[in-house]
Amino acid sequence: MAGREQKKSGGGGKKKEVKKETGLGLSFTKDENFGEWYSEVVVNGEMIEYYDISGCYILRPWAISIWENMQTFFDAEIKKMKVKNCYFPLFVSPGVLQKEKDHVEGFAPEVAWVTKSGESDLEVPIAIRPTSETVMYPYYSKWIRGHRDLPLKLNQWCNVVRWEFSHPTPFIRSREFLWQEGHTAFSTKEEADTEVLQILELYRRIYEEFLAIPVIKGRKSELEKFAGGLYTTSVEAFIPNTGRGIQGATSHCLGQNFAKMFEINFENEKGEKAMVWQNSWAYSTRTIGVMVMVHGDDKGLVLPPKVAAVQVIVIPVPYKDADTQGIFDACVATVATLTEAGILAEADLRDNYSPGWKYSDWEMKGVPLRIEIGPRDLANNQVRAVRRDNGAKTDISRVFLVEQVKGMLDKIQQNLFDVAKQKRDACVEVVKTWEEFVTALGQKKMILAPWCDEEDVEKDVKARTKGEMGAAKSLCTPFEQPELPEGTKCFASGKPAKKWTYWGRSY
Amino acid sequence: MAGREQKKSGGGGKKKEVKKETGLGLSFTKDENFGEWYSEVVVNGEMIEYYDISGCYILRPWAISIWENMQTFFDAEIKKMKVKNCYFPLFVSPGVLQKEKDHVEGFAPEVAWVTKSGESDLEVPIAIRPTSETVMYPYYSKWIRGHRDLPLKLNQWCNVVRWEFSHPTPFIRSREFLWQEGHTAFSTKEEADTEVLQILELYRRIYEEFLAIPVIKGRKSELEKFAGGLYTTSVEAFIPNTGRGIQGATSHCLGQNFAKMFEINFENEKGEKAMVWQNSWAYSTRTIGVMVMVHGDDKGLVLPPKVAAVQVIVIPVPYKDADTQGIFDACVATVATLTEAGILAEADLRDNYSPGWKYSDWEMKGVPLRIEIGPRDLANNQVRAVRRDNGAKTDISRVFLVEQVKGMLDKIQQNLFDVAKQKRDACVEVVKTWEEFVTALGQKKMILAPWCDEEDVEKDVKARTKGEMGAAKSLCTPFEQPELPEGTKCFASGKPAKKWTYWGRSY
């Protein structure tokens, strides 16, 4: 309605100017210049605005709504698991930060330090959390006394800061990012082991069910595990265009390393002093970047329906001499019907843009389904639905609107996953020798290879593949292991192989 | 059930030790030593843990769940107003921070500066946001071009840092705190004015409907308004025990001051260049501190049912020789019935504490309603309900459990508000002369006085009341103004009074 009123006051002559200035369309294609395409699509899709401090980005509502959708799911799931939310301070004192040696070595180069307030120097510099193990665990030591205090399961939704110097990329590698970090303590290793996998399954669901991205569950190598932890599991995604793996989220078993350093002891049921077993697990706004990279195309973002803030955009197509009022009313009614049914629908009634311009605009923003209503649709009591994922057009009777739209959104969600899986699978290459490995790496593959699981061998692979594109490393050892015939040799060392492991370049 | 199993393994001899160590009960009373009482109650009530960096506090799940309850309400309400969530960086570059002169003067002494990352000095020190006007508005300038881009309404849930040196107090004055900050831009002052009051009404509802705390809506004086803004409205609460007012939340009209500095211009409907009108508004975790101060008593926290994570705690009271199993089963069944009805209920089936110890424990944590089930209750198919707010005991037939409990929770919520209002109202003193003012201030009153509304006079009041307890200042000019008879003089200057204004000491 507002749109119609504006029509009267808005001058027709302004249309072209506005159109030009907005600069619809992308200057780069996904296949030809992936990096520039990505930077452009996150900005033009209104997810990101570049900020005046390098490596920091503004997350606009279009990105935050996706974050909130995932958050609603995950937060409810962990609450079912009796995890409770809390909030620990942003700041860490240096003494505590340095308590776990391996851990601090992993993070120290990236820690941002506050040294001044107002005009005064602080007595002691204070670190900003890169992650909160050292922030939290001194208090776990205080709170945990007896076996009845266990398990202790806390989570926080917060920002963390890692002042990285390698190439910053929106969502994927930024100096500040949002995440959740869960920190749990148990009496037994068995309980900790079980939770590691329960959480990992939630991460898989976020990627596969919400973001429609296939991931591989597996275990990180000794070299790639969390600094200070016992072992790390992860869900690994893959970006076919760049041929790089990307760690999607991690669920760590910390073992008793931190418990030892922070003296997190308890009296067990037999009255003996024991040390807790701990986990920590996190996923971050990186998830959104992976989604953009996997699904986006040369028209812009492509959002899976399950995370989109707007699932259906309804656009009036009023040809000249048509019943414009009737068409606008039908758009408003369509949105009302869909909204009533729990579908996130909006009408674009702006009168200073042509329907074609609006199509491009909402394609850029990745809205899963477009509904067009023109004079013929009005006459036939139907709407035209156009899928963002494959461009397919369908006329839908308004009588069956809700069920048809619901069905299409489900299909889009599934199709995005299927296509992404097909593309990812096409990149997987099984190799058995170093020569095959090098060839596959050159072809940007995600390489599954038999490995002896020795740290020195992984270091050696890194050293031998160093170059402009970055070295190859292990991505994960998948839990689903193909058969490993006796006598199979490690692709890199020639020693007896112990497992199949994914390798490749990565983010 | 877990409790019953533990009973077998837990030794009876440990009970006393545990009890002693936990240190139930408070060492200070609210009336005699309010400050110490407050510090103790937030810790023993498990809301806060003191942190090893002064002025920073750990918000434990018991506090965060209250925060989340308020957040769920407020977030839904602002979304109805078409406000969208976003996330801007934690860091601000010094040039931008210093752009609005009054604003930076207000915040500069409290700004924390990052000057190092890892071992390296940053080229330019970077500030941590004390609030995000200067972080956001350069981008408002970029995003807003024409009248169709308005209104722009963004909000973020985040942490901010103000490195204050005055006495830190959990929730009330901390160096880092959580809040939401809304930042909106409009074509006209009228729209901005309207929104200021809409948001203020939401803040009133948070205090009065959720936290059961009476607040006064009004406008801040020129001296007390937001640095760089046009005018500030607030909801003001009062702590009878200390006789101090406390600013509950603020909704600012920024006018066009920031728009000027950050060049936030747009082409209006007539094609002319115009400047936007802006608001910003925020409430923080301070709300939780006000709630503790207002409702807490010598037994601990008192939580209003609408924000409590646990509304009803069910405690078995198994006298010796009683049907312990039957009583435990009745507790579990009671929780199930209440949970089914949407009431947040839990059973405390721990077997290493006596019922009396549990009563004290949950009273300390402020759970609104306790349900006890003993042998006689079991026999009579009833439960005993005990209110946290007034200790009243009622036997409830299990047949009417849900409706009775719902009714009691509503009554508790209302009674907490009524009692708080009664106490607050008893502190309000209307004065007309300086002598009356000084007397009332000495009696820890919230003083309503006729005022000439001159900045110098407020400065003078501050100077004349300086002392150990802190100076008096204006709290707000209430929107509900009593009649001001012609010829009424300012209590402080003797000049003609323009309005009634609340004065007092404050947090």
Side-chain angles (χ1 to χ4, degrees):
Chain A
M1 290 293 103
R4 286 187 61 74
E5 280 171 14
Q6 283 170 13
K7 193 167 191 177
K8 290 169 198 158
S9 54
K14 262 189 267 167
K15 284 184 194 173
K16 263 189 189 160
E17 272 175 55
V18 179
K19 197 167 168 179
K20 211 171 169 186
E21 189 191 3
T22 315
L24 263 186
L26 297 169
S27 345
F28 299 94
T29 64
K30 191 176 182 183
D31 285 342
E32 281 171 20
N33 197 332
F34 184 82
E36 298 289 347
W37 168 85
Y38 179 76
S39 303
E40 205 178 7
V41 80
V42 292
V43 170
N44 291 13
E46 296 187 5
M47 284 199 159
I48 284 285
E49 185 71 67
Y50 278 77
Y51 190 65
D52 76 336
I53 295 173
S54 168
C56 294
Y57 305 95
I58 297 163
L59 305 187
R60 302 184 68 179
W62 204 242
I64 286 295
S65 60
I66 293 170
W67 182 242
E68 288 179 345
N69 283 333
M70 292 188 281
Q71 188 173 23
T72 301
F73 162 74
F74 189 78
D75 199 66
E77 290 296 324
I78 59 174
K79 279 177 177 158
K80 284 183 209 164
M81 292 168 67
K82 309 275 182 204
V83 176
K84 292 185 173 173
N85 285 336
C86 62
Y87 187 77
F88 280 73
L90 175 68
F91 299 117
V92 203
S93 58
V96 174
L97 184 69
Q98 284 148 12
K99 214 150 186 179
E100 214 293 333
K101 198 175 138 284
D102 290 339
H103 182 69
V104 74
E105 274 178 15
F107 286 102
E110 300 172 1
V111 169
W113 292 92
V114 176
T115 64
K116 278 177 65 181
S117 75
E119 295 291 312
S120 334
D121 289 335
L122 299 188
E123 273 181 44
V124 181
I126 291 173
I128 301 182
R129 61 179 166 220
T131 176
S132 299
E133 279 76 7
T134 62
V135 174
M136 293 182 169
Y137 298 165
Y139 302 91
Y140 279 45
S141 164
K142 186 173 178 183
W143 296 331
I144 296 169
R145 298 298 177 87
H147 61 93
R148 287 192 181 80
D149 300 322
L150 295 172
L152 178 63
K153 303 183 181 187
L154 298 179
N155 176 67
Q156 66 182 10
W157 296 93
C158 64
N159 55 346
V160 287
V161 172
R162 298 180 186 174
W163 210 263
E164 303 201 57
F165 289 91
S166 49
H167 192 57
T169 307
F171 298 119
I172 303 295
R173 187 177 296 277
S174 56
R175 286 177 169 174
E176 181 195 5
F177 55 89
L178 302 181
W179 75 353
Q180 62 65 222
E181 48 178 326
H183 295 268
T184 53
F186 300 89
S187 320
T188 63
K189 181 165 187 295
E190 290 64 39
E191 288 169 279
D193 287 339
T194 301
E195 193 208 53
V196 163
L197 295 183
Q198 283 174 329
I199 294 293
L200 195 68
E201 172 63 8
L202 293 180
Y203 292 150
R204 183 197 67 76
R205 291 182 61 192
I206 285 179
Y207 273 95
E208 300 202 335
E209 295 178 10
F210 284 77
L211 301 172
I213 294 168
V215 289
I216 292 163
K217 282 184 182 181
R219 185 169 162 150
K220 288 287 195 183
S221 68
E222 281 302 297
L223 207 58
E224 294 295 326
K225 76 175 184 185
F226 182 69
L230 179 61
Y231 66 86
T232 289
T233 68
S234 70
V235 289
E236 298 283 326
F238 190 77
I239 311 298
N241 290 74
T242 55
R244 287 179 193 272
I246 185 160
Q247 183 175 293
T250 45
S251 182
H252 314 291
C253 181
L254 303 179
Q256 297 183 306
N257 305 337
F258 286 89
K260 204 168 171 183
M261 292 306 146
F262 290 97
E263 299 175 37
I264 314 179
N265 304 310
F266 69 102
E267 196 182 87
N268 69 17
E269 302 198 6
K270 294 174 202 151
E272 303 157 347
K273 189 175 149 183
M275 241 191 293
V276 300
W277 291 87
Q278 291 179 276
N279 293 339
S280 74
W281 28 271
Y283 80 94
S284 74
T285 37
R286 165 178 275 201
T287 45
I288 303 172
V290 180
M291 182 202 75
V292 173
M293 288 184 167
V294 168
H295 299 306
D297 65 20
D298 292 344
K299 290 179 174 178
L301 299 171
V302 178
L303 305 186
K306 272 195 135 177
V307 293
V310 178
Q311 296 171 315
V312 180
I313 186 71
V314 180
I315 297 175
V317 190
Y319 291 82
K320 152 180 105 151
D321 300 331
D323 173 9
T324 306
Q325 180 67 52
I327 289 172
F328 272 65
D329 290 349
C331 288
V332 171
T334 300
V335 168
T337 306
L338 294 173
T339 304
E340 178 91 354
I343 295 162
L344 303 170
E346 280 183 17
D348 183 349
L349 304 179
R350 289 178 291 180
D351 65 344
N352 56 325
Y353 296 108
S354 69
W357 192 94
K358 290 178 187 176
Y359 298 168
S360 306
D361 191 30
W362 293 103
E363 280 168 354
M364 181 66 74
K365 296 189 78 179
V367 169
L369 196 66
R370 176 171 84 230
I371 284 183
E372 308 167 4
I373 303 182
R376 210 178 46 183
D377 301 306
L378 195 63
N380 297 341
N381 196 34
Q382 68 181 30
V383 302
R384 165 156 288 196
V386 185
R387 281 171 60 163
R388 175 66 182 89
D389 60 328
N390 62 11
K393 294 173 179 162
T394 319
D395 290 330
I396 302 178
S397 161
R398 285 175 66 186
V399 179
F400 306 114
L401 182 71
V402 167
E403 60 195 80
Q404 293 266 335
V405 167
K406 277 193 176 167
M408 291 179 89
L409 291 175
D410 287 347
K411 272 188 196 146
I412 293 168
Q413 183 79 31
Q414 187 60 48
N415 184 55
L416 284 174
F417 179 80
D418 291 344
V419 169
K421 186 160 187 307
Q422 213 168 19
K423 286 187 185 163
R424 196 273 318 266
D425 288 350
C427 292
V428 174
E429 183 98 3
V430 179
V431 311
K432 296 203 173 161
T433 67
W434 181 254
E435 290 65 36
E436 287 172 2
F437 178 82
V438 172
T439 305
L441 194 65
Q443 293 165 341
K444 298 184 177 178
K445 298 289 187 182
M446 188 181 193
I447 305 164
L448 187 59
W451 183 35
C452 61
D453 196 14
E454 288 181 17
E455 205 169 325
D456 282 345
V457 174
E458 179 164 8
K459 284 183 183 161
D460 191 48
V461 170
K462 277 188 160 177
R464 288 161 76 188
T465 54
K466 229 175 209 167
E468 223 178 274
M469 304 275 291
K473 60 184 185 185
S474 70
L475 303 174
C476 75
T477 296
F479 292 142
E480 274 189 30
Q481 284 280 314
E483 209 199 318
L484 187 69
E486 188 119 4
T488 306
K489 286 178 181 165
C490 170
F491 79 101
S493 68
K495 296 179 190 175
K498 290 189 183 147
K499 47 179 64 164
W500 289 94
T501 298
Y502 281 103
W503 297 78
R505 294 198 180 89
S506 81
Y507 279 92
Chain B
M1 292 296 104
R4 285 187 61 74
E5 280 172 12
Q6 282 170 12
K7 193 167 192 177
K8 291 168 198 159
S9 55
K14 260 188 267 170
K15 283 183 194 173
K16 264 191 190 156
E17 273 175 53
V18 179
K19 199 167 171 181
K20 211 169 169 188
E21 189 192 6
T22 314
L24 261 187
L26 298 168
S27 346
F28 299 94
T29 65
K30 191 176 182 183
D31 285 341
E32 283 171 19
N33 197 332
F34 185 81
E36 298 289 348
W37 168 84
Y38 179 77
S39 302
E40 204 178 8
V41 81
V42 293
V43 170
N44 291 14
E46 295 186 8
M47 284 198 159
I48 285 285
E49 185 72 65
Y50 278 77
Y51 190 63
D52 75 337
I53 295 174
S54 168
C56 294
Y57 304 96
I58 298 164
L59 305 186
R60 301 183 69 179
W62 203 242
I64 286 295
S65 60
I66 293 172
W67 182 242
E68 287 179 345
N69 283 332
M70 293 188 280
Q71 187 174 25
T72 301
F73 163 74
F74 189 79
D75 199 67
E77 289 297 322
I78 60 174
K79 278 176 177 160
K80 285 183 207 162
M81 293 170 65
K82 309 273 181 206
V83 176
K84 291 185 173 173
N85 285 336
C86 62
Y87 188 76
F88 281 73
L90 175 68
F91 298 117
V92 203
S93 58
V96 174
L97 184 69
Q98 284 147 12
K99 215 152 186 176
E100 213 293 333
K101 199 177 135 285
D102 290 338
H103 181 70
V104 73
E105 274 179 15
F107 287 103
E110 301 172 359
V111 168
W113 292 92
V114 176
T115 64
K116 279 177 64 180
S117 76
E119 295 291 312
S120 334
D121 289 333
L122 298 188
E123 273 181 45
V124 181
I126 290 173
I128 300 182
R129 62 179 166 220
T131 176
S132 299
E133 280 76 7
T134 61
V135 174
M136 292 182 169
Y137 298 165
Y139 301 90
Y140 279 45
S141 164
K142 184 171 181 186
W143 296 331
I144 297 169
R145 297 297 176 88
H147 60 92
R148 286 191 182 81
D149 300 323
L150 295 172
L152 178 62
K153 303 182 181 188
L154 298 181
N155 176 69
Q156 65 183 12
W157 295 94
C158 65
N159 55 345
V160 287
V161 172
R162 298 180 185 173
W163 210 263
E164 303 200 58
F165 289 92
S166 49
H167 193 57
T169 308
F171 297 121
I172 302 295
R173 188 176 296 278
S174 56
R175 286 176 168 172
E176 180 194 6
F177 55 89
L178 302 182
W179 75 352
Q180 61 65 224
E181 48 178 325
H183 295 266
T184 54
F186 300 90
S187 321
T188 64
K189 181 165 186 299
E190 289 65 39
E191 289 168 280
D193 287 339
T194 302
E195 193 208 53
V196 163
L197 295 183
Q198 284 174 329
I199 294 293
L200 196 67
E201 171 62 8
L202 294 180
Y203 291 151
R204 184 196 66 75
R205 291 181 63 192
I206 285 177
Y207 273 96
E208 300 203 333
E209 295 178 11
F210 284 78
L211 300 172
I213 294 168
V215 288
I216 292 163
K217 281 183 180 181
R219 184 168 161 152
K220 288 288 194 181
S221 69
E222 281 302 298
L223 206 59
E224 292 295 326
K225 76 176 186 184
F226 182 67
L230 179 60
Y231 66 86
T232 289
T233 68
S234 70
V235 289
E236 297 284 327
F238 190 76
I239 310 299
N241 291 72
T242 56
R244 288 178 192 272
I246 184 159
Q247 183 174 293
T250 46
S251 181
H252 314 291
C253 180
L254 304 179
Q256 296 183 308
N257 305 337
F258 286 89
K260 205 168 170 181
M261 292 306 146
F262 289 98
E263 300 175 34
I264 314 180
N265 304 310
F266 68 103
E267 197 182 86
N268 68 18
E269 302 200 4
K270 294 173 201 151
E272 301 156 350
K273 187 177 151 182
M275 239 189 295
V276 300
W277 292 87
Q278 291 179 275
N279 293 340
S280 72
W281 27 271
Y283 80 93
S284 74
T285 37
R286 164 178 275 204
T287 45
I288 302 172
V290 180
M291 183 202 75
V292 173
M293 288 185 167
V294 168
H295 299 306
D297 64 20
D298 292 343
K299 290 180 176 177
L301 299 171
V302 179
L303 306 185
K306 271 194 136 176
V307 293
V310 178
Q311 297 172 314
V312 180
I313 186 71
V314 180
I315 297 175
V317 191
Y319 292 81
K320 137 182 119 151
D321 300 332
D323 173 9
T324 306
Q325 179 68 53
I327 289 172
F328 272 64
D329 288 349
C331 289
V332 170
T334 300
V335 168
T337 306
L338 295 173
T339 304
E340 177 93 353
I343 296 163
L344 303 170
E346 279 184 17
D348 182 349
L349 304 179
R350 290 178 288 179
D351 65 345
N352 55 326
Y353 296 107
S354 69
W357 192 95
K358 289 180 187 175
Y359 297 169
S360 305
D361 191 30
W362 292 103
E363 280 169 354
M364 181 66 72
K365 296 190 78 177
V367 169
L369 197 66
R370 176 173 83 231
I371 284 182
E372 306 167 6
I373 303 182
R376 210 177 49 182
D377 302 306
L378 195 63
N380 298 339
N381 197 34
Q382 68 183 28
V383 303
R384 164 155 289 195
V386 184
R387 282 170 60 164
R388 175 67 181 88
D389 60 329
N390 63 9
K393 293 174 179 164
T394 320
D395 289 332
I396 302 177
S397 160
R398 286 176 65 185
V399 179
F400 305 114
L401 182 72
V402 167
E403 60 195 82
Q404 294 266 336
V405 166
K406 276 193 176 166
M408 292 180 87
L409 291 174
D410 287 347
K411 273 188 195 147
I412 294 169
Q413 183 79 29
Q414 186 60 46
N415 184 54
L416 283 174
F417 179 80
D418 292 343
V419 169
K421 187 160 186 308
Q422 215 169 15
K423 286 188 184 163
R424 195 274 316 269
D425 289 350
C427 292
V428 174
E429 182 99 359
V430 179
V431 311
K432 295 202 172 163
T433 66
W434 181 255
E435 289 66 35
E436 288 172 1
F437 178 83
V438 171
T439 305
L441 194 66
Q443 293 165 342
K444 298 184 176 177
K445 298 290 187 182
M446 188 183 195
I447 304 165
L448 187 60
W451 182 35
C452 62
D453 197 14
E454 289 182 15
E455 204 169 326
D456 282 346
V457 173
E458 179 163 7
K459 283 183 183 160
D460 192 45
V461 170
K462 277 189 161 175
R464 289 160 76 188
T465 56
K466 229 174 207 166
E468 221 179 272
M469 305 273 291
K473 60 184 186 185
S474 71
L475 303 174
C476 76
T477 295
F479 292 142
E480 274 190 29
Q481 284 279 313
E483 209 200 319
L484 187 68
E486 188 118 4
T488 306
K489 286 177 181 164
C490 170
F491 78 103
S493 68
K495 295 179 190 175
K498 290 188 184 149
K499 48 177 64 162
W500 289 95
T501 297
Y502 281 104
W503 297 79
R505 294 199 179 89
S506 80
Y507 279 92

